[in-house]
Amino acid sequence: ALTPRCGWVLPGLEQRLTVPAAVSPATARPYAAAAAKAAKKDEKRSRQEKAKEAAKEKPLPRRRPLMSKPVDDVYLTWLYRRPSYGLEQAVGMLKRFQELDFTHPKQFVYINVFLDMALQKKKKVDPFTSGVVLPHRFTDEVNKVLVFTENDQEAEVAREHGATIVGGVELIKWILEDEIQADFYVAVPAIIPKLIPLRNKLKKKYPSTRRNSLGSDIPRMVQFFRECHEYSVEDESVIKTRIARLDMPTEHIIANLKTIIQDICTFKPSNFGKVCSGCNQPTWEMGVLYWVVEKAEEKEEEDAADEDQQEPVQESVSN
Protein backbone atom coordinates (compact mmCIF):
# COMPACT_ATOMS: atom_id res chain seq x y z
CA ALA A 1 0.00 0.00 0.00
CA LEU A 2 2.98 2.33 0.57
CA THR A 3 4.66 1.52 -2.72
CA PRO A 4 2.84 4.01 -5.03
CA ARG A 5 3.15 6.79 -2.52
CA CYS A 6 6.79 6.43 -1.48
CA GLY A 7 8.21 5.01 -4.68
CA TRP A 8 10.20 2.19 -3.06
CA VAL A 9 9.66 -1.45 -2.25
CA LEU A 10 11.20 -3.41 0.59
CA PRO A 11 13.64 -6.11 -0.47
CA GLY A 12 11.79 -9.37 -1.17
CA LEU A 13 8.31 -7.81 -0.78
CA GLU A 14 7.71 -7.71 -4.52
CA GLN A 15 8.67 -11.35 -4.82
CA ARG A 16 6.27 -12.31 -1.99
CA LEU A 17 3.40 -10.43 -3.61
CA THR A 18 3.88 -12.10 -6.99
CA VAL A 19 4.61 -15.71 -5.90
CA PRO A 20 1.54 -17.60 -4.48
CA ALA A 21 1.92 -18.74 -0.90
CA ALA A 22 2.62 -22.47 -0.39
CA VAL A 23 0.23 -24.61 1.67
CA SER A 24 1.71 -25.44 5.05
CA PRO A 25 2.05 -29.10 6.12
CA ALA A 26 -0.16 -28.47 9.16
CA THR A 27 -2.97 -27.22 6.93
CA ALA A 28 -2.67 -30.08 4.45
CA ARG A 29 -2.58 -32.86 7.10
CA PRO A 30 -6.42 -33.14 7.71
CA TYR A 31 -7.14 -33.40 3.97
CA ALA A 32 -4.50 -36.10 3.52
CA ALA A 33 -5.87 -38.09 6.47
CA ALA A 34 -9.43 -37.93 5.11
CA ALA A 35 -8.27 -39.09 1.68
CA ALA A 36 -6.31 -41.99 3.21
CA LYS A 37 -9.30 -43.00 5.32
CA ALA A 38 -11.61 -42.98 2.29
CA ALA A 39 -9.12 -45.06 0.31
CA LYS A 40 -8.82 -47.55 3.16
CA LYS A 41 -12.59 -47.82 3.41
CA ASP A 42 -12.92 -48.48 -0.33
CA GLU A 43 -10.22 -51.12 -0.13
CA LYS A 44 -11.97 -52.85 2.76
CA ARG A 45 -15.27 -52.81 0.91
CA SER A 46 -13.68 -54.32 -2.17
CA ARG A 47 -12.12 -57.10 -0.05
CA GLN A 48 -15.51 -57.88 1.48
CA GLU A 49 -17.16 -58.04 -1.93
CA LYS A 50 -14.43 -60.35 -3.19
CA ALA A 51 -14.85 -62.57 -0.13
CA LYS A 52 -18.60 -62.80 -0.71
CA GLU A 53 -18.11 -63.73 -4.35
CA ALA A 54 -15.55 -66.38 -3.37
CA ALA A 55 -17.95 -67.80 -0.78
CA LYS A 56 -20.71 -68.05 -3.37
CA GLU A 57 -18.46 -69.82 -5.83
CA LYS A 58 -17.07 -72.22 -3.20
CA PRO A 59 -19.30 -75.30 -2.81
CA LEU A 60 -20.76 -75.89 0.64
CA PRO A 61 -19.15 -78.72 2.59
CA ARG A 62 -21.26 -81.84 2.75
CA ARG A 63 -22.38 -82.61 6.28
CA ARG A 64 -21.79 -86.15 7.36
CA PRO A 65 -25.09 -87.91 8.10
CA LEU A 66 -25.62 -88.85 11.72
CA MET A 67 -25.44 -92.52 12.58
CA SER A 68 -28.39 -94.11 14.29
CA LYS A 69 -26.91 -96.32 17.01
CA PRO A 70 -23.38 -96.64 18.42
CA VAL A 71 -21.69 -100.03 18.31
CA ASP A 72 -19.39 -99.42 21.28
CA ASP A 73 -19.73 -98.19 24.86
CA VAL A 74 -17.44 -95.21 24.21
CA TYR A 75 -18.37 -92.94 21.31
CA LEU A 76 -18.68 -89.30 20.23
CA THR A 77 -22.22 -88.16 20.94
CA TRP A 78 -22.27 -85.53 18.20
CA LEU A 79 -21.83 -88.24 15.56
CA TYR A 80 -25.06 -90.01 16.50
CA ARG A 81 -28.70 -89.07 16.58
CA ARG A 82 -30.16 -88.11 19.91
CA PRO A 83 -32.25 -91.06 21.16
CA SER A 84 -36.02 -90.68 21.33
CA TYR A 85 -38.25 -92.80 23.57
CA GLY A 86 -41.95 -93.43 23.95
CA LEU A 87 -43.85 -92.22 26.99
CA GLU A 88 -44.03 -95.57 28.74
CA GLN A 89 -40.39 -96.36 28.01
CA ALA A 90 -39.22 -92.94 29.25
CA VAL A 91 -41.16 -93.21 32.53
CA GLY A 92 -39.81 -96.72 32.97
CA MET A 93 -36.28 -95.35 32.61
CA LEU A 94 -37.00 -92.79 35.33
CA LYS A 95 -38.15 -95.48 37.71
CA ARG A 96 -35.14 -97.69 36.95
CA PHE A 97 -32.62 -94.85 37.32
CA GLN A 98 -34.17 -93.92 40.67
CA GLU A 99 -33.27 -97.35 42.00
CA LEU A 100 -29.73 -97.08 40.66
CA ASP A 101 -29.20 -93.59 42.09
CA PHE A 102 -30.72 -94.47 45.51
CA THR A 103 -32.86 -91.31 45.43
CA HIS A 104 -36.20 -90.87 47.20
CA PRO A 105 -38.89 -93.03 45.51
CA LYS A 106 -41.63 -90.42 46.13
CA GLN A 107 -39.83 -87.50 44.52
CA PHE A 108 -41.69 -85.23 42.09
CA VAL A 109 -41.60 -85.69 38.33
CA TYR A 110 -41.14 -82.39 36.48
CA ILE A 111 -41.50 -81.36 32.86
CA ASN A 112 -39.91 -78.51 30.95
CA VAL A 113 -42.09 -77.46 28.01
CA PHE A 114 -40.39 -75.28 25.40
CA LEU A 115 -42.84 -73.26 23.30
CA ASP A 116 -42.38 -71.30 20.11
CA MET A 117 -44.13 -68.03 21.01
CA ALA A 118 -43.19 -66.17 17.81
CA LEU A 119 -45.87 -64.93 15.44
CA GLN A 120 -45.77 -63.05 12.14
CA LYS A 121 -44.48 -59.47 11.80
CA LYS A 122 -42.24 -59.56 14.91
CA LYS A 123 -45.17 -60.34 17.23
CA LYS A 124 -45.31 -63.06 19.86
CA VAL A 125 -47.75 -64.78 22.16
CA ASP A 126 -47.91 -63.16 25.58
CA PRO A 127 -46.77 -65.36 28.50
CA PHE A 128 -49.78 -66.91 30.21
CA THR A 129 -50.75 -68.56 33.49
CA SER A 130 -53.30 -71.33 33.76
CA GLY A 131 -54.67 -73.93 36.13
CA VAL A 132 -55.87 -77.45 35.42
CA VAL A 133 -57.36 -80.24 37.52
CA LEU A 134 -55.19 -83.32 37.02
CA PRO A 135 -56.92 -86.71 36.75
CA HIS A 136 -54.60 -88.17 39.40
CA ARG A 137 -53.66 -85.98 42.37
CA PHE A 138 -50.11 -86.36 43.63
CA THR A 139 -50.21 -84.14 46.72
CA ASP A 140 -52.54 -83.61 49.67
CA GLU A 141 -52.09 -79.84 49.58
CA VAL A 142 -55.28 -77.81 49.12
CA ASN A 143 -55.21 -74.29 47.71
CA LYS A 144 -56.53 -71.37 49.76
CA VAL A 145 -59.47 -69.74 47.95
CA LEU A 146 -60.86 -66.31 48.84
CA VAL A 147 -64.40 -65.48 47.70
CA PHE A 148 -65.64 -61.88 47.26
CA THR A 149 -69.39 -61.53 47.80
CA GLU A 150 -71.75 -59.32 49.80
CA ASN A 151 -74.68 -61.74 49.66
CA ASP A 152 -75.16 -63.74 52.87
CA GLN A 153 -76.54 -66.78 51.08
CA GLU A 154 -73.66 -66.85 48.59
CA ALA A 155 -71.18 -66.46 51.44
CA GLU A 156 -72.70 -69.43 53.26
CA VAL A 157 -72.54 -71.57 50.11
CA ALA A 158 -68.87 -70.62 49.63
CA ARG A 159 -68.00 -71.67 53.18
CA GLU A 160 -69.85 -74.97 52.81
CA HIS A 161 -67.81 -75.85 49.71
CA GLY A 162 -64.44 -75.13 51.31
CA ALA A 163 -63.65 -71.45 50.75
CA THR A 164 -60.92 -70.34 53.14
CA ILE A 165 -61.95 -66.66 53.35
CA VAL A 166 -65.29 -65.07 52.42
CA GLY A 167 -66.11 -61.37 52.57
CA GLY A 168 -66.87 -58.14 50.77
CA VAL A 169 -65.21 -54.76 50.36
CA GLU A 170 -63.93 -54.86 53.96
CA LEU A 171 -61.25 -57.31 52.77
CA ILE A 172 -59.69 -54.79 50.37
CA LYS A 173 -57.74 -52.93 53.06
CA TRP A 174 -56.39 -56.13 54.61
CA ILE A 175 -55.29 -57.47 51.23
CA LEU A 176 -53.51 -54.23 50.33
CA GLU A 177 -51.65 -54.38 53.65
CA ASP A 178 -50.75 -58.06 53.13
CA GLU A 179 -52.75 -59.07 56.19
CA ILE A 180 -54.71 -61.56 54.08
CA GLN A 181 -53.23 -63.71 51.32
CA ALA A 182 -54.70 -66.54 49.28
CA ASP A 183 -53.69 -68.76 46.39
CA PHE A 184 -56.74 -67.82 44.30
CA TYR A 185 -59.33 -65.05 44.39
CA VAL A 186 -62.92 -65.62 43.25
CA ALA A 187 -65.69 -63.03 42.90
CA VAL A 188 -69.31 -62.69 41.82
CA PRO A 189 -70.19 -60.15 39.08
CA ALA A 190 -72.12 -57.86 41.46
CA ILE A 191 -69.07 -56.93 43.53
CA ILE A 192 -66.42 -56.70 40.80
CA PRO A 193 -66.79 -52.88 40.26
CA LYS A 194 -65.83 -52.34 43.92
CA LEU A 195 -62.64 -54.41 43.63
CA ILE A 196 -60.83 -52.08 41.20
CA PRO A 197 -58.33 -50.93 43.91
CA LEU A 198 -57.02 -54.52 44.00
CA ARG A 199 -56.26 -54.76 40.29
CA ASN A 200 -52.61 -53.68 40.59
CA LYS A 201 -52.12 -55.66 43.80
CA LEU A 202 -53.48 -59.00 42.58
CA LYS A 203 -52.36 -58.62 38.93
CA LYS A 204 -52.87 -62.00 37.25
CA LYS A 205 -54.83 -63.32 40.21
CA TYR A 206 -57.46 -60.60 39.85
CA PRO A 207 -60.88 -62.25 39.26
CA SER A 208 -61.74 -62.45 35.57
CA THR A 209 -63.93 -64.52 33.28
CA ARG A 210 -60.87 -65.51 31.24
CA ARG A 211 -59.42 -67.32 34.26
CA ASN A 212 -62.86 -68.67 35.22
CA SER A 213 -62.58 -66.89 38.57
CA LEU A 214 -65.51 -64.51 37.96
CA GLY A 215 -69.03 -65.92 37.85
CA SER A 216 -72.15 -66.89 39.71
CA ASP A 217 -71.46 -70.62 40.13
CA ILE A 218 -69.60 -70.38 43.44
CA PRO A 219 -69.51 -74.15 44.22
CA ARG A 220 -67.91 -74.97 40.87
CA MET A 221 -65.33 -72.17 41.09
CA VAL A 222 -64.35 -72.96 44.68
CA GLN A 223 -63.99 -76.68 44.01
CA PHE A 224 -61.92 -76.06 40.86
CA PHE A 225 -59.42 -73.65 42.45
CA ARG A 226 -59.04 -75.73 45.63
CA GLU A 227 -57.85 -78.73 43.58
CA CYS A 228 -56.33 -77.16 40.46
CA HIS A 229 -52.65 -77.31 39.56
CA GLU A 230 -51.29 -73.94 38.39
CA TYR A 231 -48.47 -73.42 35.91
CA SER A 232 -47.13 -70.41 34.03
CA VAL A 233 -44.76 -69.46 31.21
CA GLU A 234 -41.32 -68.43 32.46
CA ASP A 235 -38.52 -66.71 30.57
CA GLU A 236 -41.06 -65.85 27.83
CA SER A 237 -41.21 -69.39 26.37
CA VAL A 238 -40.63 -72.12 28.99
CA ILE A 239 -43.09 -73.90 31.27
CA LYS A 240 -41.54 -75.65 34.28
CA THR A 241 -43.93 -77.55 36.48
CA ARG A 242 -44.33 -80.82 38.35
CA ILE A 243 -46.86 -83.35 37.13
CA ALA A 244 -46.69 -86.40 39.42
CA ARG A 245 -44.66 -88.45 41.89
CA LEU A 246 -42.27 -91.11 40.72
CA ASP A 247 -43.92 -93.87 42.77
CA MET A 248 -47.25 -93.38 40.96
CA PRO A 249 -48.29 -95.91 38.30
CA THR A 250 -46.91 -95.21 34.84
CA GLU A 251 -50.36 -94.72 33.31
CA HIS A 252 -51.19 -92.08 35.95
CA ILE A 253 -48.03 -90.11 35.19
CA ILE A 254 -48.74 -90.21 31.45
CA ALA A 255 -52.38 -89.16 31.99
CA ASN A 256 -51.30 -86.10 34.01
CA LEU A 257 -48.73 -85.19 31.36
CA LYS A 258 -51.26 -85.36 28.53
CA THR A 259 -53.76 -83.30 30.53
CA ILE A 260 -51.29 -80.45 30.96
CA ILE A 261 -50.24 -80.59 27.29
CA GLN A 262 -53.87 -80.41 26.16
CA ASP A 263 -54.46 -77.40 28.41
CA ILE A 264 -51.41 -75.67 26.93
CA CYS A 265 -52.85 -76.23 23.46
CA THR A 266 -55.90 -74.12 24.38
CA PHE A 267 -53.67 -71.01 24.32
CA LYS A 268 -52.63 -71.50 20.70
CA PRO A 269 -53.20 -68.58 18.28
CA SER A 270 -56.29 -68.90 16.10
CA ASN A 271 -54.25 -68.90 12.85
CA PHE A 272 -52.39 -72.09 13.80
CA GLY A 273 -53.92 -75.49 13.33
CA LYS A 274 -51.82 -77.08 16.08
CA VAL A 275 -49.46 -75.75 18.71
CA CYS A 276 -47.99 -79.08 19.83
CA SER A 277 -46.64 -81.39 17.15
CA GLY A 278 -45.29 -83.97 19.56
CA CYS A 279 -43.25 -84.80 22.62
CA ASN A 280 -39.78 -86.22 22.26
CA GLN A 281 -36.25 -86.26 23.63
CA PRO A 282 -36.77 -87.19 27.29
CA THR A 283 -33.60 -87.34 29.39
CA TRP A 284 -32.80 -88.16 33.00
CA GLU A 285 -31.10 -85.61 35.22
CA MET A 286 -31.50 -85.20 38.97
CA GLY A 287 -34.89 -86.92 38.96
CA VAL A 288 -36.38 -84.58 36.37
CA LEU A 289 -38.10 -85.60 33.15
CA TYR A 290 -37.59 -82.99 30.44
CA TRP A 291 -39.90 -82.87 27.47
CA VAL A 292 -39.80 -80.72 24.35
CA VAL A 293 -43.04 -79.46 22.79
CA GLU A 294 -42.59 -77.84 19.41
CA LYS A 295 -45.01 -75.82 17.32
CA ALA A 296 -46.20 -77.51 14.14
CA GLU A 297 -45.79 -75.81 10.80
CA GLU A 298 -48.99 -74.51 9.28
CA LYS A 299 -48.21 -75.51 5.71
CA GLU A 300 -48.29 -79.15 4.70
CA GLU A 301 -45.33 -78.75 2.37
CA GLU A 302 -43.11 -77.53 5.19
CA ASP A 303 -44.32 -80.37 7.39
CA ALA A 304 -43.35 -82.92 4.77
CA ALA A 305 -39.89 -81.37 4.38
CA ASP A 306 -39.32 -81.40 8.13
CA GLU A 307 -40.35 -85.03 8.44
CA ASP A 308 -37.65 -86.02 5.95
CA GLN A 309 -34.95 -84.27 7.97
CA GLN A 310 -36.03 -84.95 11.53
CA GLU A 311 -36.29 -88.27 13.33
CA PRO A 312 -39.75 -89.76 13.84
CA VAL A 313 -41.72 -88.91 16.99
CA GLN A 314 -42.73 -91.81 19.18
CA GLU A 315 -45.73 -90.21 20.90
CA SER A 316 -47.73 -87.27 19.56
CA VAL A 317 -50.20 -84.99 21.27
CA SER A 318 -52.65 -82.80 19.35
CA ASN A 319 -55.51 -80.68 20.40
Side-chain angles (χ1 to χ4, degrees), residues 206-219:
Y206 188 78
S208 64
T209 54
R210 183 177 181 181
R211 290 176 50 85
N212 298 322
S213 57
L214 177 62
S216 302
D217 194 348
I218 295 179

Side-chain angles (χ1 to χ4, degrees), residues 114-116 275-281 292-296 310:
F114 298 87
L115 300 176
D116 185 3
V275 71
C276 297
S277 61
C279 301
N280 58 8
Q281 301 177 356
V292 178
V293 178
E294 299 175 349
K295 181 181 293 184
Q310 298 179 355

Side-chain angles (χ1 to χ4, degrees), residues 223-238:
Q223 183 179 0
F224 173 80
F225 287 107
R226 287 183 77 247
E227 301 177 357
C228 77
H229 174 71
E230 188 179 33
Y231 65 89
S232 59
V233 177
E234 303 176 6
D235 300 329
E236 297 185 353
S237 62
V238 182

Side-chain angles (χ1 to χ4, degrees), residues 132-137 248 251-252 254-257 259-260:
V132 59
V133 177
L134 299 177
H136 304 284
R137 291 181 54 83
M248 294 174 57
E251 56 272 16
H252 291 183
I254 295 176
N256 287 353
L257 171 64
T259 301
I260 292 180

